[in-house]
Amino acid sequence: MTHAPDDQSTMPGGDNPYVGPRNFEDNERERRLFFGRDREGADLLSLVLAERLVLFYAPSGAGKSSLLNARLFPGLRSEGFTILGRARAGGQLPDGIALENVANVYAFNVLRDIDRGQTPFAELAAQRLPDYLAAHPADADHPDRILVIDQFEEIVTTYPSQWEKREEFFRQINQALSDDPHLWIVLILREDYIAELDPYARLVPGRLRVRYRMQYMGYQAALEAVKQPAALEGRPFDDGVAETLVNNLRQMAGQQTDSEQALGEYIEPVQLQVVCLQLWENLRDQPGASITLADVENLARGAGLGEFVNHALAGFYEQVIAGVLAAQPGAISERELRDWFSNVLITRDGTRNLIYQSETETGGMPNAIVLELERRFLLRAETRTGGRWVELVHDRLVRPIQTANQQWRGQQPLIMAAEMWTTTRDPAQLLAGAQLAEAQA
């Protein structure tokens, strides 16, 4: 996952109250700065307290992890629960553990996460979830405990050769709940994988009917997420500025009436945090008791709030590109990655393109790269009849990406020369001698 800039120094009014392109963490300060999701947090907590097995799902990038960290976990602790851990059923096996020696790879991964190194991996590899929990009973003074299994879509997306072990893992969940009346389990996954769980629903209590769905942020929630952190840190938004910013973030590409840009129903929380973090950082040395429209327009060199939002989102895109290339060294060149965004993910009309994902690639891009881009909240995927499809997370990113890629290409003389040659086929434009040697180097 990408992280906010390391330099989050102060501005008049205090520290930066926005987290940028990462999840909110489970600490006092970030819980205090988490706004716009109070209803969802209260609803989810109430449901989990009432039901011992809950399925929590949402679109990719809607903020599931932030809601867990800032609202659900603190709420559970206040109710006296012990949180066993935030485990995952997928993941790479540790060195020295072969897949054929693991009784159930999904159970092993969960146990590894909640065991925290207390038991040798070779022993965990042979254990079942209910047996492990029985051997590690809860504190008698605090008997209620909860296991959260995050990214539960990994039960169907990882270890395809182990498909026969999936049913057994659901049976282990069922037995663990049956054996321990003080055990709660929450399964968290992306909503496009809900249907993949249907064959296993009969194996667990309630047939997975107890569910909570979280959507992207609506307009009023987004306003709260923009306004309240700034007000808490002592530099509130002037009337109308936050409203203009939120409306800009929900603009729909290619959907314009005669008088104004059409506005969508929802706002991407990650984009909101990216823009607000950069706004606060850029204003930190500027005097003022509030954030005014003039402040924002000055930062955008007089081009208006829309251009400032474009600049912030372009910076986020550049950060993700750099992070993906560093995470997958040698897998793809920067030119190929940028061209994929410009020519595949974005249509000639300047709208998002929906790309089918095959077993190994997505529109010509290796799936390892695509998954990195999803993990960093630049892409999202959904499962439809006939397969899995990938697209940009929001229309609002189209123009910033196009601008960033155009500026990057303008700084690459070899690319510019190659494009000119492709157009003119003028031999005089071919490189030779020292120029050719330098280009090859």
Side-chain angles (χ1 to χ4, degrees):
M1 179 178 297
T2 51
H3 293 274
D6 291 334
D7 179 13
Q8 293 190 20
S9 53
T10 59
M11 59 174 286
D15 293 336
N16 198 319
Y18 303 99
V19 302
R22 64 168 175 84
N23 299 321
F24 279 79
E25 296 179 358
D26 185 4
N27 61 57
E28 182 178 354
R29 181 176 187 272
E30 296 199 2
R31 290 194 295 270
R32 186 174 64 91
L33 295 170
F34 184 73
F35 289 97
R37 294 294 199 184
D38 285 346
R39 178 184 60 81
E40 290 90 340
D43 289 348
L44 179 60
L45 177 61
S46 296
L47 186 62
V48 170
L49 292 175
E51 301 286 347
R52 293 177 54 222
L53 179 63
V54 173
L55 186 64
F56 172 37
Y57 65 102
S60 175
K64 298 186 296 297
S65 294
S66 291
L67 189 73
L68 293 175
N69 290 336
R71 290 294 179 266
L72 182 62
F73 290 157
L76 289 170
R77 285 194 292 266
S78 71
E79 294 288 339
F81 276 82
T82 297
I83 300 172
L84 287 172
R86 187 170 174 177
R88 287 174 56 178
Q92 185 175 355
L93 292 177
D95 292 341
I97 300 297
L99 184 58
E100 58 269 22
N101 295 328
V102 178
N104 188 298
V105 68
Y106 308 110
F108 170 76
N109 284 324
V110 169
L111 293 177
R112 178 176 56 167
D113 288 344
I114 66 176
D115 183 73
R116 299 183 180 90
Q118 300 178 66
T119 308
F121 289 151
E123 291 184 28
L124 285 181
Q127 292 195 31
R128 301 172 71 253
L129 176 63
D131 299 334
Y132 176 90
L133 294 175
H136 297 78
D139 186 338
D141 294 331
H142 301 281
D144 294 335
R145 50 185 180 167
I146 187 163
L147 169 62
V148 175
I149 306 181
D150 202 359
Q151 298 185 42
F152 195 63
E153 63 269 13
E154 290 178 334
I155 196 73
V156 293
T157 63
T158 63
Y159 299 104
S161 66
Q162 301 292 297
W163 63 271
E164 292 179 304
K165 302 293 182 68
R166 295 170 188 162
E167 181 170 319
E168 163 61 17
F169 181 63
F170 279 91
R171 293 187 185 279
Q172 290 188 34
I173 289 176
N174 180 65
Q175 183 182 340
L177 290 168
S178 177
D179 290 349
D180 185 356
H182 293 283
L183 175 67
W184 273 250
I185 296 179
V186 179
L187 308 176
I188 305 167
L189 77 161
R190 288 165 35 177
E191 69 175 359
D192 43 319
Y193 287 95
I194 285 288
E196 303 287 343
L197 301 187
D198 287 347
Y200 310 102
R202 60 184 173 80
L203 303 172
V204 293
R207 302 178 67 91
L208 295 178
R209 291 193 183 98
V210 181
R211 304 179 178 189
Y212 185 79
R213 180 179 187 266
M214 184 173 73
Q215 186 51 275
Y216 293 116
M217 275 187 167
Y219 176 74
Q220 292 298 331
L223 276 183
E224 188 178 343
V226 170
K227 288 182 173 183
Q228 294 299 329
L232 275 180
E233 292 297 334
R235 191 166 182 175
F237 283 84
D238 273 1
D239 291 344
V241 178
E243 289 79 358
T244 304
L245 188 151
V246 170
N247 280 335
N248 197 287
L249 281 171
R250 62 185 181 131
Q251 286 180 2
M252 299 175 67
Q255 303 290 325
Q256 189 167 355
T257 66
D258 293 338
S259 58
E260 60 184 9
Q261 187 80 30
L263 302 178
E265 183 178 2
Y266 299 111
I267 293 90
E268 291 272 352
V270 172
Q271 292 186 34
L272 183 150
Q273 287 291 328
V274 166
V275 169
C276 289
L277 178 130
Q278 187 165 334
L279 172 62
W280 190 273
E281 284 297 301
N282 288 341
L283 286 175
R284 69 188 182 196
D285 296 324
Q286 302 296 322
S290 62
I291 299 175
T292 68
L293 188 59
D295 286 331
V296 180
E297 290 178 339
N298 288 338
L299 288 173
R301 297 185 177 91
L305 183 57
E307 285 307 308
F308 174 72
V309 173
N310 287 338
H311 177 74
L313 294 177
F316 173 50
Y317 169 70
E318 295 288 358
Q319 184 182 18
V320 171
I321 290 292
V324 168
L325 293 172
Q328 297 283 336
I332 198 79
S333 72
E334 184 169 359
R335 178 186 62 79
E336 290 171 315
L337 184 54
R338 289 178 181 272
D339 285 351
W340 186 68
F341 274 90
S342 294
N343 303 326
V344 179
L345 286 175
I346 299 175
T347 69
R348 292 183 179 180
D349 296 327
T351 60
R352 286 184 294 168
N353 202 7
L354 193 61
I355 309 299
Y356 175 75
Q357 185 171 78
S358 71
E359 186 175 346
T360 59
E361 53 88 21
T362 305
M365 184 62 57
N367 283 343
I369 300 293
V370 175
L371 290 174
E372 276 291 327
L373 292 165
E374 286 183 54
R375 194 172 67 85
R376 296 166 190 267
F377 304 112
L378 193 54
L379 301 183
R380 69 163 165 243
E382 60 179 278
T383 301
R384 299 182 176 183
T385 301
R388 193 169 188 263
W389 302 78
V390 174
E391 64 181 347
L392 282 173
V393 294
H394 199 275
D395 287 329
R396 192 61 186 80
L397 279 161
V398 169
R399 183 182 170 193
I401 288 174
Q402 290 175 323
T403 301
N405 285 347
Q406 184 178 6
Q407 291 176 347
W408 181 83
R409 295 180 75 86
Q411 299 168 359
Q412 311 299 319
L414 288 180
I415 291 178
M416 300 300 292
E419 291 179 346
M420 183 66 70
W421 159 256
T422 302
T423 301
T424 65
R425 297 290 175 172
D426 181 1
Q429 293 177 340
L430 292 174
L431 301 180
Q435 283 185 321
L436 177 59
E438 182 180 356
Q440 288 174 326

